[in-house]
Amino acid sequence: MNFKNVTVAGSGVLGYQIAFQTAFHGFKVSVYDINDEVLAKAKAKFFELSECYKRDISATQEQLDNTFNNLSYYSNLAEAVQDADLVIEAVPEDVAIKTEFYKQLSQFSPAKTVFATNTSTLLPSQFSDLTGRPEKFLALHFANLIWVNNMAEIMGHDTTDKQVFEDLVQFAKAIGMVALPVYKEQPGLILNSMLVPYCVSALELWINEVSDPHTIDKTWMKSFGSPKGPFAILDIIGITTAYNIAKLHADVNPIMARIKERLENEFINQNKLGLPTGQGFYSYPNPAYESATFLKG
Ligand code: NAD
């Protein structure tokens, strides 16, 4: 693995975390986004993130200073990738946006550059023909709160070079991730293939009034000694994402249509979006599931 210069495209929820984590581990990182206004927001978020690194993983001021020195910012794609060994794409989960992005990226990138997509639900083979280097293209999927939930799934497609796959496994480890190889293309990779049905089952119990969210979570937590149940997880993912997934399937799946309606009326329209707004199935900070009495009665 010979990567030194990494470009992260898209500085939203996941992109700015990937950029910071990569810079924290000593790589030179070019942060690319569509305009300077969005990049300014990313810069501000890096300062907030450095406080989390101090609190959660005892990062020193020297490590954080080095991290900031490793970061540079671009709103011009050609400049952002001119010497990139690896581009990690974290642009929105939208086929049209990703398609247009890969068309441009393939034009501007040097031949050496490996492309990795952070997609949660799409497949590398959907975009491989656009990259101009299908053998150097694969998925590298991170989890939200990357510095503590430090895992990365690595998934190629039929013609991904085996050495490139191995290089990405090594890169994931080099930036502090537990590297999780996926051997066959699968929408949702490993994590979301399990997580989406799990959360949908819990939501179905709730909309069918089989039980209430806190009782459903308690059932899971008590049975497996798990620190969180599905509704706590939904709050962390964000109710907006759950709502968007339900909306996607609402036309063909009546259960998803009902989940969508309940989430819309009781959460989305009231700005109860989970952890991002401090109110979802639980209230934050100090959600009930973290209290000592939650599992007592
Ligand atoms: P987001 O909407 O928060 O951020 C997307 C960013 O991309 C924004 O800053 C936007 O300005 C930028 N952008 C839009 N068009 C662009 C373009 N053409 N070129 C460059 N930048 C562009 O999205 P997100 O939640 O960070 O998701 C990004 C990717 O990461 C998606 O593929 C998603 O599936 C994946 N992902 C998200 C999560 C999560 O928890 N949010 C977890 C794992 C993976």
Side-chain angles (χ1 to χ4, degrees):
M1 195 267 290
N2 254 337
F3 302 149
K4 287 195 183 72
N5 303 322
V6 178
T7 300
V8 177
S11 62
V13 174
L14 250 282
Y16 90 102
Q17 296 180 27
I18 299 167
F20 198 80
Q21 179 74 14
T22 305
F24 184 76
H25 283 271
F27 293 85
K28 294 282 175 207
V29 178
S30 302
V31 184
Y32 166 71
D33 212 307
I34 42 177
N35 60 44
D36 291 333
E37 207 183 345
V38 184
L39 285 169
K41 281 191 193 145
K43 276 188 209 176
K45 287 190 294 184
F46 287 141
F47 285 101
E48 287 172 24
L49 202 49
S50 59
E51 292 305 312
C52 301
Y53 274 57
K54 280 186 200 163
R55 185 191 64 212
D56 297 335
I57 57 168
S58 307
T60 64
Q61 194 53 50
E62 190 188 356
Q63 283 177 307
L64 294 167
D65 290 345
N66 290 337
T67 305
F68 280 100
N69 286 337
N70 284 337
L71 289 163
S72 47
Y73 305 87
Y74 298 89
S75 55
N76 177 307
L77 184 57
E79 288 171 14
V81 299
Q82 61 181 345
D83 194 24
D85 299 306
L86 171 66
V87 173
I88 303 174
E89 170 268 305
V91 308
E93 192 75 344
D94 178 310
V95 174
I97 293 177
K98 287 201 197 284
T99 299
E100 191 49 41
F101 175 75
Y102 281 112
K103 278 186 192 162
Q104 287 185 29
L105 184 66
S106 64
Q107 284 173 35
F108 296 129
S109 300
K112 67 170 182 174
T113 315
V114 170
F115 297 167
T117 175
N118 184 44
T119 183
S120 300
T121 58
L122 305 168
L123 293 173
S125 55
Q126 283 176 261
F127 305 100
S128 59
D129 284 350
L130 304 168
T131 63
R133 65 202 69 208
E135 71 292 347
K136 286 193 187 126
F137 178 52
L138 72 180
L140 178 64
H141 179 250
F142 297 94
N144 198 5
L145 313 184
I146 187 173
W147 65 101
V148 282
N149 298 335
N150 55 325
M151 69 100 191
E153 298 174 85
I154 299 107
M155 179 177 81
H157 60 96
D158 274 355
T159 52
T160 304
D161 187 295
K162 287 194 169 51
Q163 185 57 51
V164 172
F165 188 95
E166 185 49 35
D167 285 349
L168 263 285
V169 168
Q170 294 312 322
F171 171 74
K173 290 180 183 172
I175 61 166
M177 298 294 114
V178 173
L180 305 165
V182 180
Y183 303 122
K184 192 176 169 188
E185 260 201 328
Q186 161 77 23
L189 297 92
I190 300 171
L191 176 65
N192 286 319
S193 297
M194 296 189 285
L195 184 61
V196 174
Y198 168 73
C199 290
V200 170
S201 313
L203 288 163
E204 195 177 344
L205 291 170
W206 168 58
I207 60 160
N208 285 340
E209 288 164 9
V210 173
S211 194
D212 62 90
H214 289 199
T215 304
I216 296 167
D217 273 7
K218 283 180 194 175
T219 311
W220 189 268
M221 291 165 72
K222 201 66 200 163
S223 306
F224 294 109
S226 172
K228 292 179 185 71
F231 289 95
I233 291 172
L234 281 161
D235 275 355
I236 292 167
I237 297 167
I239 307 293
T240 311
T241 301
Y243 172 75
N244 285 338
I245 293 174
K247 203 165 135 191
L248 220 55
H249 299 278
D251 285 347
V252 290
N253 182 332
I255 292 164
M256 290 299 234
R258 286 173 54 220
I259 291 174
K260 173 193 161 265
E261 201 182 323
R262 288 280 305 259
L263 291 178
E264 188 169 304
N265 292 337
E266 294 173 41
F267 291 87
I268 301 288
N269 289 347
Q270 299 180 39
N271 200 36
K272 293 180 180 173
L273 306 181
L275 198 53
T277 57
Q279 181 65 52
F281 290 100
Y282 295 89
S283 304
Y284 301 85
N286 308 320
Y289 62 82
E290 283 180 355
S291 90
T293 55
F294 191 62
L295 292 179
K296 290 282 190 251

